[in-house]
Amino acid sequence: MIKTVLTVDDSAAIRGVMTVLLQSAGYAVSSAVDGEDGLARARAQRADLVITDLHMPRLDGFGLIRALRAEPAYRKVPILMLTTESSAEMRERGREAGATGWLVKPFDPDRLLEVVRRVLG
């Protein structure tokens, strides 16, 4: 069964790169333009993995993760942060919100796919 990845990023370029990369690796991809859109899409169709940016309009990545973790369908779904932030403080805030992992932009496509495969089992 094909796994579905929801990517949430306000950058169209990043969404496009992740879509091509993940689809070429055999994943179905759904994209959202910000946290509010990501939450609506996650509720409409359950994803097997969520990859979210941190800094986005309307609802940031931390808010999105907390909202998803409050939903029974997303309590155990892996959620990765993909952001330009790399400080230990921000990573700790991500863990507290419920992030499964943290990747820093610019990202290495091979490393991203390695992490995706690992968290999806």
Side-chain angles (χ1 to χ4, degrees):
M1 185 171 167
I2 296 175
K3 304 271 184 169
T4 300
V5 180
L6 172 61
T7 64
V8 186
D9 199 303
D10 58 337
S11 165
I14 295 293
R15 289 192 313 273
V17 168
M18 287 199 302
T19 296
V20 169
L21 179 68
L22 293 165
Q23 286 179 338
S24 70
Y27 298 104
V29 179
S30 176
S31 297
V33 300
D34 59 37
E36 287 286 339
D37 187 31
L39 187 57
R41 288 177 189 269
R43 287 175 173 157
Q45 180 181 9
R46 187 182 178 279
D48 298 297
L49 167 66
V50 178
I51 302 174
T52 183
D53 189 14
L54 175 56
H55 300 292
M56 298 179 289
R58 301 198 310 155
L59 180 64
D60 69 11
F62 293 147
L64 173 61
I65 293 171
R66 283 190 288 273
L68 288 174
R69 292 300 186 215
E71 307 253 342
Y74 283 92
R75 288 207 177 114
K76 295 187 179 183
V77 169
I79 303 175
L80 301 174
M81 295 288 303
L82 180 63
T83 177
T84 56
E85 294 285 348
S86 61
S87 72
E89 176 188 346
M90 295 304 267
R91 288 174 188 249
E92 181 57 30
R93 288 185 60 195
R95 275 192 289 274
E96 289 172 1
T100 307
W102 191 281
L103 296 165
V104 177
K105 296 176 187 172
F107 62 93
D108 173 28
D110 292 333
R111 173 75 176 131
L112 177 65
L113 286 178
E114 175 188 318
V115 172
V116 166
R117 288 183 185 113
R118 185 169 25 107
V119 298
L120 285 175

